[in-house]
Amino acid sequence: MIYLDHAATAPPSRTVLEAQWPYLTQVFANPSSAHGPGRAARAGLDAALAEIAGVLGCRPGEVVLTSGGTEADDLALLGVAAAAPRGRHVVTTAVEHPAVLETARALGAGALGEPFRVDEVGVDRDGVVDLAALAAVLTPATTVCSVMLANNEVGAVQPVREVAALCRAVGVPLHVDAVQAPGQLGVRLDDLGADLLSVSAHKLGGPRGAGALAVRGAVPLAPVIHGGGQQRGRRSGTVDVPAAVGTATALRLAEEGRAAGAPRLAALRDRLVAGVLDAVPGAVLTGPAVDARLADGSPARLPGHASFVFPGLGGEAVLLELEERGVVCSSGSACAADSDDASHVLLAMGLGDDAARTAVRLTLGPSTAPEEVDDVVRLLPEAVAAAGGAALLPA
């Protein structure tokens, strides 16, 4: 099997599993308990929080452990909106993950009483947010702004530093969904200018159902889950120490490997993109070009991300034919895999409804080998032809 769906979930890391094992088998006590076993568990938890904080560039007390990226995104928006609802106004973009968009829309529908006004700012054809349009809707009364660091469907990297400057100018807290970024982009809060930042462990070889939200101490945050007051009252419930250790280890490994790993992924991605466009001339790369740069000169596309549409051909048909040939990939967000709707990201980028249903996403990871990329390029024309896309192939 050639696995090219790292954006959905990464293969489990043996190092992460080994780090978790003692807390699953020996140091298993409740970390809130005052006895010796509880204190041992608490020590493991404190070490994990310090490790997460070290990667994200915050204090351990500013880390809230969650059940994953979705809960972290929900807590960021709902928590700020409930704690400091000034203006009852949420600003986000049209290409965010559903965890952000649906939470913002829930606020717009009155999830916290009086409805919030929600502005979903548009993007250009590459999926990059329109900064002028964003600046036009931000006001000193805006409750919170949420802009992802990198898009899960097309790999577009957002100009988060510029977004942060716009937010700072009017005193608006900025939440950054960085779930796709660790190991490929830097995720330190100060470097990005973020006030809140979400990460998820399973994108990095860590456990499923584990993630974290970093929250600057000055940002008001009301809890969404109430109970025993764990995690300084911001997220009640017995803390899952093995999950915390797994999240911390996965994040640390991703950051340690980034300097060498990101350029390697970018080279493989470029090889894949060039090969696909040569082998299937009718395919269209979605998102920024592989050599595109943001205004600050940084890459505009995730190193390990390639995404295409195949006009006139169902994307799901291509996926099935690729899987028949041993290649596993996806059509976009795994969270939308059960939906028949066209991709909201591709629609926001200006693609038509039919084209937005033909997406194929190929995402690479540390385990991806050059030979696998070459095999995918060789097998893709066969899959496209079998799916009925002969018109997309060379004459």
Side-chain angles (χ1 to χ4, degrees):
M1 180 181 71
I2 299 174
Y3 185 79
L4 294 187
D5 201 18
H6 288 79
T9 201
S13 161
R14 184 180 183 89
T15 303
V16 171
L17 294 171
E18 289 175 347
Q20 288 184 281
W21 185 247
Y23 297 94
L24 290 164
T25 57
Q26 300 169 6
V27 191
F28 56 79
N30 190 319
S32 297
S33 297
H35 49 58
R39 292 194 300 274
R42 181 72 211 194
L45 174 60
D46 288 343
L49 289 170
E51 199 163 46
I52 294 169
V55 174
L56 301 183
C58 62
R59 298 192 300 270
E62 294 176 319
V63 176
V64 183
L65 298 167
T66 68
S67 63
T70 291
E71 187 192 336
D73 288 346
D74 280 30
L75 177 58
L77 270 64
L78 293 173
V80 172
R86 60 173 192 173
R88 307 188 81 83
H89 179 216
V90 175
V91 174
T92 188
T93 82
V95 294
E96 298 299 307
H97 189 277
V100 167
L101 281 178
E102 293 305 317
T103 302
R105 291 166 184 172
L107 287 168
L112 293 179
E114 181 185 343
F116 282 61
R117 180 166 61 90
V118 178
D119 280 307
E120 297 177 12
V121 179
V123 298
D124 64 18
R125 61 183 181 84
D126 290 335
V128 178
V129 64
D130 183 334
L131 289 173
L134 182 71
V137 297
L138 286 170
T139 77
T142 300
T143 312
V144 64
C145 176
S146 183
V147 175
M148 66 188 352
L149 180 50
N151 186 267
N152 54 307
E153 291 196 30
V154 298
V157 178
Q158 299 296 347
V160 168
R161 294 174 185 84
E162 288 88 341
V163 171
L166 295 174
C167 289
R168 277 197 306 273
V170 289
V172 176
L174 172 64
H175 166 248
V176 173
D177 175 351
V179 165
Q180 292 291 332
Q184 301 191 58
L185 304 172
V187 290
R188 294 180 66 84
L189 271 75
D190 282 347
D191 292 344
L192 296 171
D195 299 292
L196 308 99
L197 184 140
S198 303
V199 292
S200 180
H202 75 101
K203 309 292 187 181
L204 314 170
R208 294 172 182 81
L213 176 69
V215 187
R216 285 300 191 199
V219 177
L221 190 78
V224 173
I225 298 175
H226 301 268
Q230 291 90 343
Q231 302 204 63
R232 305 187 178 202
R234 294 173 301 185
R235 202 256 191 193
S236 290
T238 301
V239 179
D240 187 338
V241 178
V245 170
T247 300
T249 306
L251 268 175
R252 174 178 57 79
L253 293 173
E255 179 59 21
E256 289 175 351
R258 179 166 65 91
R264 175 183 176 276
L265 284 178
L268 287 177
R269 175 207 61 197
D270 293 355
R271 182 171 177 164
L272 176 62
V273 170
V276 168
L277 296 180
D278 182 60
V280 186
V284 177
L285 180 72
T286 57
V290 295
D291 59 352
R293 294 290 184 269
L294 297 175
D296 63 3
S298 60
R301 190 182 191 105
L302 275 177
H305 200 296
S307 55
F308 305 88
V309 292
F310 296 86
L313 184 64
E316 290 295 332
V318 177
L319 295 178
L320 291 172
E321 292 296 339
L322 281 172
E323 188 167 3
E324 285 288 322
R325 291 159 177 79
V327 179
V328 175
C329 51
S330 66
S331 59
S333 174
C335 299
D338 293 332
S339 172
D340 292 329
D341 295 337
S343 163
H344 74 281
V345 172
L346 297 179
L347 291 175
M349 291 165 56
L351 274 73
D353 189 82
D354 289 341
R357 296 177 187 273
T358 71
V360 172
R361 181 182 71 175
L362 305 166
T363 49
L364 319 174
S367 62
T368 306
E371 297 78 14
E372 292 180 310
V373 168
D374 294 341
D375 284 344
V376 171
V377 171
R378 175 177 56 81
L379 293 168
L380 185 59
E382 296 179 16
V384 168
L392 301 174
L393 299 171

